[in-house]
């Protein structure tokens, strides 16, 4: 590779060898899958806890309120705190689900705590349905990141088989696809890698250091796509794949 070019911004790390790159990606994808299963399982657990909570409902009477339904407030609080934490992890504190759940927790005049629980239940069930349907941004990000991992695994297989240029081209597709995804979310017109990179940095998606890294990655991708094998080495492509893996993880996780 030519001395002094932007490609020198690539960072050769412990993942420089193809084996290290592949193992790192496999671990990353495995952890994403585990996180999805944990969140899904937690929704199921809290649904079962909700059913148990509802089964404790009793009828009570007071001179002030007359007949009313009752569930111990401490039990409701215990469940609602755990749901709020789950929604924070699954969809974020700025999501409609998290905000709506907080509003549902607020006591209203002339209601019993079963009414309040039913409001929280409605939000919880909507969140569970949307999570299982993949409608949360965090879920979409994880799915897209896993798809990128699959493509990078293909690049790793090509690399190990000695098809260095093909490995770089496939990994370059992942880079471009990720930039397209980020641009669509930001309302940025789809264009060249350089154009999208500049616009994403301007929009605050990432800082100028990351922008320079993407510029360096694009240079390797372009050299490989145009058959300029003299401009890069096998070690450069190994680092290239690792850098793209980190970029996808940072932006889509």
């Amino acid at each position: 590779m030519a001395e002094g070019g932007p490609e020198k911004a690539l960072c050769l790390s412990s993942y420089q060898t193809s084996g290290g790159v592949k193992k790192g990606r496999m671990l990353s994808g495995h952890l994403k899958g585990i996180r999805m299963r944990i969140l899904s399982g937690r929704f199921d657990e809290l649904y079962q806890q909700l059913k148990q909570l509802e089964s404790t409902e009793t009828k009570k009477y007071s001179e002030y309120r007359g007949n009313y339904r009752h569930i111990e407030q401490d039990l409701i609080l215990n469940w609602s705190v755990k749901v709020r934490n789950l929604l924070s992890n699954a969809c974020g504190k700025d999501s409609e689900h998290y905000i709506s759940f907080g509003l549902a927790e607020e006591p209203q005049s002339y209601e019993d705590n079963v009414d309040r629980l039913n409001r929280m239940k409605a939000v919880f069930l909507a969140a569970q349905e949307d999570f299982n349907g993949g409608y949360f941004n965090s879920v979409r990000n994880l799915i897209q990141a896993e798809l990128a991992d699959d493509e990078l695994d293909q690049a790793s297989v090509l690399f190990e088989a000695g098809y260095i240029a093909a490995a770089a081209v496939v990994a370059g597709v992942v880079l471009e696809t990720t930039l397209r995804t980020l641009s669509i979310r930001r309302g940025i017109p789809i264009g060249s890698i350089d154009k999208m990179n500049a616009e994403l940095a301007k929009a605050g998606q990432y800082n100028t250091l990351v922008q320079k890294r993407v510029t360096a990655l694009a240079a390797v991708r372009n050299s490989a796509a145009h058959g300029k094998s003299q401009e890069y080495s096998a070690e450069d492509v190994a680092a290239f794949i690792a850098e793209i893996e980190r970029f996808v993880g940072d932006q889509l996780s």
Side-chain angles (χ1 to χ4, degrees):
M1 186 172 289
E3 291 291 335
E7 299 85 352
K8 291 302 180 182
L10 288 172
C11 175
L12 299 179
S13 69
S14 58
Y15 290 102
Q16 182 172 345
T17 65
S18 61
V21 171
K22 185 173 182 180
K23 288 178 182 177
R25 274 198 318 281
M26 289 177 64
L27 178 60
S28 176
H30 181 61
L31 291 176
K32 292 187 182 85
I34 289 175
R35 182 169 183 265
M36 289 285 290
R37 289 192 293 274
I38 289 174
L39 292 175
S40 179
R42 188 56 172 161
F43 269 107
D44 292 339
E45 289 174 359
L46 290 178
Y47 176 75
Q48 293 303 319
Q49 290 181 26
L50 171 63
K51 304 306 291 183
Q52 294 172 5
L53 186 57
E54 290 176 322
S55 71
T56 67
E57 178 184 329
T58 58
K59 303 292 185 182
K60 291 200 171 186
Y61 173 83
S62 71
E63 293 185 2
Y64 174 72
R65 302 180 60 183
N67 293 316
Y68 66 96
R69 299 168 300 172
H70 178 75
I71 294 176
E72 290 298 327
Q73 181 57 38
D74 288 349
L75 297 178
I76 295 177
L77 178 61
N78 179 279
W79 181 78
S80 67
V81 167
K82 289 183 285 191
V83 171
R84 206 178 326 118
N85 181 60
L86 174 60
L87 295 181
S88 174
N89 289 322
C91 56
K93 292 184 177 181
D94 59 346
S95 69
E96 186 67 30
H97 299 81
Y98 184 88
I99 294 170
S100 295
F101 190 82
L103 293 174
E105 286 184 289
E106 296 294 326
Q108 305 294 324
S109 301
Y110 307 109
E111 70 170 7
D112 54 40
N113 56 10
V114 176
D115 291 325
R116 188 165 69 91
L117 178 62
N118 284 335
R119 286 201 310 276
M120 290 187 283
K121 174 183 177 180
V123 178
F124 171 76
L125 292 178
Q128 183 178 34
E129 180 180 345
D130 283 350
F131 178 85
N132 290 333
Y135 297 112
F136 288 167
N137 282 336
S138 59
V139 175
R140 287 199 298 270
N141 288 350
L142 285 171
I143 292 172
Q144 289 169 335
E146 287 186 7
L147 291 174
D149 279 339
D150 289 341
E151 295 292 327
L152 290 171
D153 281 338
Q154 293 181 27
S156 182
V157 170
L158 289 168
F159 183 92
E160 291 172 356
Y163 297 103
I164 307 304
V169 170
V170 171
V173 170
V174 175
L175 173 65
E176 184 171 5
T177 301
T178 301
L179 292 174
R180 284 173 174 266
T181 298
L182 296 174
S183 294
I184 290 171
R185 291 179 186 171
R186 289 276 184 171
I188 295 171
I190 301 301
S192 67
I193 287 181
D194 288 341
K195 179 67 174 176
M196 291 186 290
N197 186 30
E199 291 299 322
L200 285 166
K202 186 185 299 182
Q205 176 66 38
Y206 43 71
N207 60 34
T208 56
L209 287 177
V210 175
Q211 181 185 1
K212 290 178 181 178
R213 283 174 53 205
V214 173
T215 297
L217 293 170
V220 176
R221 179 257 193 191
N222 290 337
S223 293
H226 292 92
K228 299 178 180 179
S229 58
Q230 73 279 5
E231 295 185 358
Y232 59 86
S233 66
E235 289 78 12
D236 294 321
V237 173
F240 173 67
I241 295 172
E243 280 287 318
I244 292 178
E245 192 271 338
R246 281 192 289 274
F247 177 73
V248 171
D250 289 343
Q251 300 303 319
L252 295 183
S253 295

